[in-house]
Amino acid sequence: MTRALDRPRTGGIRFPHRAVSWLTPVAVLALWELLARTGILPEQVLPAPSGVLEKAGDLIADGELPSNLLASLQRSATGFAIGASFGLGLGLLVGLSKVAEALLDRSIQMVRAVPFLAILPLVIVWFGIGEAGKIFLIALGTAVPLYLTTVLGIRQIDPKLLEMTDVVGLGRAGQIRWVVLPGALPSILGGLRLSLTAAWLALVIAETLGADAGLGFMATNAREFLQTDVIVLVVLIYAVIGILCDLVTRLLERRLLRWHPTYARLTA
């Protein structure tokens, strides 16, 4: 029964999950192209993918797309690095210490409940419309998911394993290294995937703060001039970057969780 669940089959043939997962978006793009070419989708509403690619070529040729993409990547990378460091650090602190949980957790949960758009005016007052405010929003969006999943991962560790470390004489540092971090790693990596997504969502909002470069800046200008193809291009770039980030985290999971029996069985 377990083997059958691990390796689903249809009519005695293994279902091609990986191929289908890639062919589905290709089929959607092909249908989109067909509908646009036949006029069912007006160009002003949703231009054909080929037209969007042609526009991308023009923007690459004049250097506009590479410069704006680089600006967005730099913002998101900086904000993500800061937010991930804080999220992981606070998650470990709260997960390992009841005192830290009493001091910090409720406040962090309150911050988590506040929408980005609600704090946008306050961020402008604090940081103005410069880079610091944009990076702050990205870091905030990144830190919270990783904090939550880190705390959850630590709390799900079997208490008997922690008791065993006391029996064998492992100190606090050894307990964290050999039991806590490996045990919480699946949840931490899951939080990493959520944080990468949140970083790009925060970037979209952050680049509305008077940005003079970036993908959000491109989309805002395109909206003013009714350039639908540029807006769709920016959306597709966000989607591609999201897929690439997800692939990177999946590769990390494959490498770092090879020892995990459940994960190894599901990816066999």
Side-chain angles (χ1 to χ4, degrees):
M1 177 64 72
T2 302
R3 185 179 182 85
L5 290 174
D6 291 343
R7 302 190 178 189
R9 295 174 180 273
T10 303
I13 301 175
R14 186 175 183 179
F15 187 77
H17 293 88
R18 191 178 300 275
V20 171
S21 69
W22 286 106
L23 288 175
T24 300
V26 172
V28 171
L29 287 174
L31 178 61
W32 174 7
E33 180 76 23
L34 177 63
L35 294 176
R37 289 295 181 182
T38 55
I40 297 176
L41 285 177
E43 184 177 354
Q44 295 80 6
V45 175
L46 199 61
S50 57
V52 175
L53 288 176
E54 183 179 349
K55 185 63 177 180
D58 295 338
L59 293 174
I60 292 172
D62 64 18
E64 182 179 352
L65 180 57
S67 62
N68 284 295
L69 177 59
L70 180 60
S72 289
L73 289 174
Q74 288 176 336
R75 285 190 190 113
S76 60
T78 303
F80 178 81
I82 295 172
S85 300
F86 273 96
L88 182 60
L90 289 174
L92 289 172
L93 185 62
V94 171
L96 293 170
S97 170
K98 291 292 184 181
V99 175
E101 180 183 2
L103 291 173
L104 299 173
D105 185 65
R106 195 168 302 279
S107 298
I108 295 174
Q109 296 293 345
M110 291 171 65
V111 171
R112 178 180 68 88
V114 179
F116 277 120
L117 294 178
I119 66 171
L120 200 55
L122 189 59
V123 172
I124 295 174
V125 171
W126 285 348
F127 301 101
I129 58 174
E131 288 297 305
K134 300 175 181 61
I135 292 173
F136 172 81
L137 283 173
I138 297 169
L140 180 62
T142 300
V144 174
L146 193 54
Y147 163 80
L148 293 173
T149 54
T150 300
V151 173
L152 178 63
I154 293 174
R155 289 176 177 173
Q156 288 179 336
I157 295 174
D158 191 345
K160 294 180 180 179
L161 292 177
L162 299 177
E163 293 174 3
M164 188 179 299
T165 61
D166 295 332
V167 173
V168 299
L170 275 180
R172 187 64 166 172
Q175 185 184 72
I176 293 173
R177 178 180 178 183
W178 298 109
V179 177
V180 173
L181 287 178
L185 191 57
S187 292
I188 292 174
L189 290 174
L192 185 65
R193 295 175 69 178
L194 294 174
S195 292
L196 285 168
T197 302
W200 282 102
L201 291 175
L203 177 69
V204 175
I205 298 173
E207 289 186 337
T208 64
L209 296 178
D212 56 2
L215 295 175
F217 170 75
M218 281 183 59
T220 301
N221 278 353
R223 182 194 63 194
E224 297 295 331
F225 295 99
L226 299 179
Q227 296 175 311
T228 311
D229 51 355
V230 177
I231 297 174
V232 173
L233 173 62
V234 171
V235 172
L236 290 177
I237 291 174
Y238 282 134
V240 170
I241 292 174
I243 291 173
L244 292 176
C245 290
D246 188 67
L247 287 175
V248 170
T249 53
R250 285 178 180 270
L251 288 174
L252 284 174
E253 287 177 346
R254 286 180 179 276
R255 182 171 181 82
L256 298 177
L257 297 179
R258 287 178 297 183
W259 57 271
H260 198 287
T262 301
Y263 184 85
R265 186 176 72 247
L266 292 176
T267 56

